[in-house]
Each structure stands twice: as C-alpha cells, then as structure tokens.
Amino acid sequence: MRVGIGYDSHRFAPDRPLILGGVEIPYDQGLDGWSDADAVAHALTDAILGAAGLGDIGQMFPSDDPRFHNADSLELLRRASMKAAEARCSLVHADITVICERPKIGPYADEMRERLAQAALAGYSNISIKAKTNEGMGFIGRGEGIAVIAVVLMDEAETARKSRSR
Ligand code: MG
C-alpha cells in the first residue's frame, strides 16, 4: 500500500464558473486559474501522483501550456489515474476536505463523489468529501479563496513493487 497527500488552493475571481469536483456550483464568484481551477480535482490528482511516485500535477500538466488553458480538470485527473494504473497503482480510498466559508459544499458532495470516482477509476464509496469553514480566520475566513486537502491510499501490484526496487 502507498499513501499520497495533495493540497491545492485557488483565489476567488469574478466572471468565472465555480467548479469543484467536476460540479458547477451556483455562486457569485468562481476560482481563478489557468485550467478550470477545480481545486478538488487538483488536490486529488496530486495525491494520486504522489502515491504513485509520478511527481506532481504541475509537472504533468504545466500551467503555461496552452493545451491546459480552461482544461477540464476531471480529464486531467483521469489522465493522471491512467498513468498511475500503468505504474500498477490503483486507488483504494480517497478522503478529501474542502475548506471555505462559502458557498456550502455539502449539497454537492454526492455528485462530486460520483464524478471524481469515475475520473479516478474508482467507485463512489471509495471517495469521501468533507467540508468545513476556517472559522473566519485568514484568507479563507475573509472569503478570498478555497483550500483543499486530499489523502489517498493506493494499492500497488506486486510486480510493480519489484520493478521499482533498486
Ligand atoms: Mg490548482
């Protein structure tokens, strides 16, 4: 078994859709970023790449690459998950915490779990989404942005373990 952790944060910006976990959430602001700025998908992608020993999301999908401008981050998650699968690593479970004061994430958590699971080649029950506020403190407390933490457990096939050892 291998573990991975991913962290991402994005600043709120006007005239952008708010997309989290592949779900467009009605809100008066979106998140700023080169891709669709889906911080939930980004944190999960980084956790998966970390567990699989495949670097990080910035190396795999550079933020100055025009191919990833306004990219669908679920597609990036799917591509990273395919790379992990090629390295014989499969997702066992992901636990994700979304930290923001507003909007409320809870009503969208189930749909986010469905979409993330599909992109991460896993099942709905293997993805957990939790949401909390930052109790009014710091940049999150002032409503300037969102942060997301993702932890994953991945199963590594025996053959992959042997081929990695030096
Ligand atoms: Mg990001």
Side-chain angles (χ1 to χ4, degrees), residues 7-10 32-33 35 37-43 57 73:
Y7 170 83
D8 197 26
S9 59
H10 280 260
D32 201 13
S35 66
D38 184 338
V40 172
H42 293 177
I57 189 171
S73 295

Side-chain angles (χ1 to χ4, degrees), residues 12-68:
F12 278 119
D15 305 320
R16 295 265 302 177
L18 177 59
I19 297 169
L20 290 173
V23 178
E24 187 165 342
I25 296 174
Y27 193 52
D28 59 2
Q29 299 178 89
L31 294 172
D32 201 13
W34 182 245
S35 66
D36 64 5
D38 184 338
V40 172
H42 293 177
L44 178 56
T45 301
D46 242 359
I48 287 169
L49 292 176
L54 292 171
D56 64 43
I57 189 171
Q59 292 169 332
M60 192 167 280
F61 310 111
S63 61
D64 55 358
D65 188 327
R67 285 178 301 164
F68 305 125

Side-chain angles (χ1 to χ4, degrees), residues 48-49 54 60 75-89 118-121 154:
I48 287 169
L49 292 176
L54 292 171
M60 192 167 280
E75 178 58 21
L76 306 185
L77 172 60
R78 194 186 64 80
R79 285 167 62 175
S81 299
M82 299 281 279
K83 287 276 181 202
E86 283 167 23
R88 307 293 302 277
C89 283
Q118 201 167 33
L121 316 176
M154 296 189 81

Side-chain angles (χ1 to χ4, degrees), residues 19-162:
I19 297 169
L20 290 173
V23 178
E24 187 165 342
I25 296 174
Y27 193 52
D28 59 2
Q29 299 178 89
L31 294 172
D32 201 13
W34 182 245
S35 66
D36 64 5
D38 184 338
V40 172
H42 293 177
L44 178 56
T45 301
D46 242 359
I48 287 169
L49 292 176
L54 292 171
D56 64 43
I57 189 171
Q59 292 169 332
M60 192 167 280
F61 310 111
S63 61
D64 55 358
D65 188 327
R67 285 178 301 164
F68 305 125
H69 189 41
N70 290 324
D72 174 357
S73 295
L74 283 191
E75 178 58 21
L76 306 185
L77 172 60
R78 194 186 64 80
R79 285 167 62 175
S81 299
M82 299 281 279
K83 287 276 181 202
E86 283 167 23
R88 307 293 302 277
C89 283
S90 57
L91 184 61
V92 175
H93 191 78
D95 191 17
I96 300 165
T97 299
V98 183
I99 311 159
C100 63
E101 301 295 324
R102 286 183 307 129
K104 287 226 174 300
I105 301 301
Y108 306 96
D110 275 347
E111 199 179 340
M112 288 164 61
R113 289 173 70 190
E114 295 273 11
R115 298 200 181 182
L116 290 168
Q118 201 167 33
L121 316 176
Y124 168 87
S125 64
N126 306 123
I127 309 280
S128 157
I129 302 261
K130 309 196 298 298
K132 61 190 283 106
T133 72
N134 213 37
E135 298 285 338
M137 295 180 288
F139 77 90
I140 296 171
R142 291 189 296 272
E144 293 170 11
I146 274 182
V148 181
I149 300 167
V151 173
V152 299
L153 184 67
M154 296 189 81
D155 188 30
E156 183 184 39
E158 181 78 17
T159 49
R161 228 170 4 252
K162 281 184 182 147

